[in-house]
Amino acid sequence: MFQAPDFNTLIKQINSSTDTDVEKALRTSRLSLDDLAALISPAAEPFLQQMATRSSEITLARFGKTTQLYAPIYLSNYCTNRCAYCGFSADNRIKRKCLTIDEAEKEAMILHERGFQHILLVSGEAENAVDVEYMEAISLRLRDKFAAVSIEIQPMSTEHYHRLFLAGITAVAVYQETYDRDMYKQVHLSGKKRDYDYRLETPARVAKAGMREVGIGALLGLSDWRAEGLSIAYHLQWLRKKFWSTAFTVSFPRMRPATGEFDPLEIVTESNLSQLIFALRLFDQDVGLIVSTREEARYRDGMLGLGPTRYSAGSCTAPGGYGNSDSEAEQFSVGDHRTFTEVSEMIKQKGFDPICKDWDCGFQIDKSTDPAL
Amino acid sequence: MNITLNGKDKSLHKAMSVTDLLTGLELTPETVVVEINTTILQPDSYQSTILAEGDQVEIIRFVGGG
Amino acid sequence: MLTIAGTEFSSRLFLGTGKFSSSSVMAEAIAASGCQMVTVALRRIDLDNPEDDIMKALGQRPYTFLPNTSGARNAEEAIRLAHIARAASGSPWLKLEVTPDPRTLLPDPVETLIATEKLAKDGFIVLPYINADPILALKLQDVGAAAVMPLGSPIGTNQGVLSDSMVEIIIEQARVPVVVDAGIGAPSHAAYAMEMGADAVLVNTAISIAGDPVAMAAAFAKAVEAGRTAYVAGMGQRSKQASASSPEKGTLSSDLGFLT
């Protein structure tokens, strides 16, 4: 199993990087984890422009002039975890809602009419509201209507992920939130999510179950963002070696105000976020990099083609929010309020092609590598 | 009695063990592997294994190779 | 230190023992190369003209012997040879070669994959000789190969690492060590493979048929060491364009003016 390197050791390593290390990393074609440490260090800040140029060249060569678009559907905001930073935390007095299968389908069809082919089903972590049978039922309803259906729900067993794969789910995102073990304990106050290691092992279980794509990431603003970035790279490298036929994406949700009134513990600027994205692109040319509507329109427009490969658009983060606008029960508030059409237009104006369909989940054939399944 | 030894016919004028055969060929048992009818023989059974009519015997050793 | 299946090797040069003019030249060349892993083949003894025992020529030196299955045309033949090799060497090390085409001696990927899986399950330490195919390399490691041995170019051709772009991908992706085998005709070829990040190279013909095999073996040892040192030191990337060493101005496509 993957062992996350000690967080404080990573911080020290990153902060000891020098200009020479950064220059060396920029000259290398196959970057090591040490090179990455240099590129996300303070010493690399003056090199941001060069990093952007290289990141843009690599992204263009590997992904072409395209940007994938998806929209989240919030199925439920019930949650049994108490997480200090999250609007859905069990403590928060918010209106709770879990969509029925019919309601979920209705939400999905609204997005379908708006032009989306790729949706991400999101929920709080409460098994009594959202379990494998519920997800299976929704997936079977949606698999013929969408090209790709991803999920971001509570961690599951390999067997359950495999069932969802067979029902048509193509990808699973599960973010560690923070790789900093101490901080993890501090902000995950109670609930199943308190188990750092079980969460850390989840991406491997997803890959084992045969999913086409696994998303990993950290919530920026909880701990040292540089060390989070390096930890993600360690995790990514381990996963790549072990599950070479799985595609990986990395997401960098940057903390925004939520109902819980939680102020970010660390300020991560747009410049910081960009440095992290460019560095990761230089480190791994093929990884999908996701920037959600947490970020503002200006930033997302500017970053187009420089490293990110996938944007969400027209997002509402409250359950049932597409059919019935009600922002009270949001997980976080959105920074880019444009519609799918507006984001698509922006992408086209910049000379890129908005991609809604990258795969057809109808083609999925069971080829999981685990003989136990 | 006739056997096939390394692909060639060979007639033996008396019953003999694998040890007898190797001694007659001036081969040190430790430097070769003996296969009879595609089964590898353990060195400790060379003495007790008596060759039979029609046996396909292969005597193999390491040579230079890349 | 190179580790394959738990065994450590300080030398990253493996030597083949074929085609030497005499056993004594071979032994001297191997000694001069400093290598710790030598490959050997299995053959029926020619009873009319028995050659010297190669093991005797190599004496009691601390080499790991890597018997190959050369001559095998399919998985079944290779597996039979593997068992004979294990009986002869008393060790599970095996260089798996399945070469159905006697003209090119190129390895058969399908039969190699079948044989690797069976032999690995049977406790062999399998190092399959393969074409430089990254997906095959990954599948082989998944079924238990201890290392992979992609070819640089067809065996005996001395053309060097013509498969470099594929070998590079194999090196980048594989969890198991990558040993570049076949086609390495000059020390510079060996250095090039090592600079790319290969874990080791296997050389035979280039040394055995050299004017002075012992001197050539020493030259290869130096080349492998130089290549490895360069790789560890971190090579600059190749580029078709000249690049200024002072910071570039932001181009239109990557202008960061939007950042607040």
Side-chain angles (χ1 to χ4, degrees), chain C residues 22-91:
Chain C
S22 74
S23 296
S24 58
V25 171
M26 176 193 72
E28 260 188 86
I30 292 172
S33 75
C35 85
Q36 294 163 311
M37 173 95 95
V38 295
T39 61
V40 288
L42 281 168
R43 288 292 176 268
R44 278 174 171 171
I45 295 175
D46 178 356
L47 296 167
D48 301 326
N49 182 20
E51 300 162 54
D52 287 346
D53 177 27
I54 188 171
M55 299 312 218
K56 202 166 84 192
L58 291 170
Q60 294 301 308
R61 290 178 196 279
Y63 303 124
T64 297
F65 286 96
L66 184 64
N68 67 32
T69 59
S70 64
R73 291 161 302 164
N74 54 49
E76 211 179 330
E77 288 181 357
I79 289 168
R80 180 178 172 198
L81 281 169
H83 283 95
I84 296 170
R86 184 157 69 178
S89 67
S91 109

Side-chain angles (χ1 to χ4, degrees), chain A residues 15 20-21 25-26 48 64 76 81 89 91 109 111 134 144 158 189 212 250 263 266 271 273 279 308 327 338 355:
Chain A
N15 289 332
T20 319
D21 297 330
L26 283 169
L48 194 62
S76 160
N81 297 313
S89 184
D91 276 353
M109 292 321 289
L111 292 177
Y134 173 88
D144 297 329
T158 309
L189 304 165
R212 294 178 63 81
V250 174
D263 286 327
E266 300 271 335
S271 213
L273 177 61
S327 66
R338 291 173 297 179
I355 302 277

Side-chain angles (χ1 to χ4, degrees), chain C residues 109-172:
Chain C
V110 178
E111 296 291 312
T112 302
L113 185 62
I114 293 169
T116 299
E117 183 163 19
K118 288 202 171 128
L119 290 167
K121 277 191 184 137
D122 209 359
F124 284 90
I125 299 170
V126 188
L127 289 76
Y129 168 60
I130 56 169
N131 212 318
D133 179 338
I135 300 297
L136 177 64
L138 292 167
K139 290 196 160 188
L140 285 165
Q141 81 176 12
D142 286 353
V143 300
V148 288
M149 307 184 76
L151 57 81
S153 50
I155 184 100
T157 61
N158 288 341
Q159 293 183 89
V161 191
L162 297 183
S163 57
D164 48 2
S165 54
M166 294 299 138
V167 170
E168 253 173 19
I169 297 174
I170 295 175
I171 291 167
E172 194 177 324

Side-chain angles (χ1 to χ4, degrees), chain A residues 213-231:
Chain A
E213 186 187 287
V214 181
I216 60 172
L219 184 56
L220 303 183
L222 291 177
S223 188
D224 184 289
W225 65 269
R226 301 176 199 273
E228 300 284 17
L230 189 52
S231 301

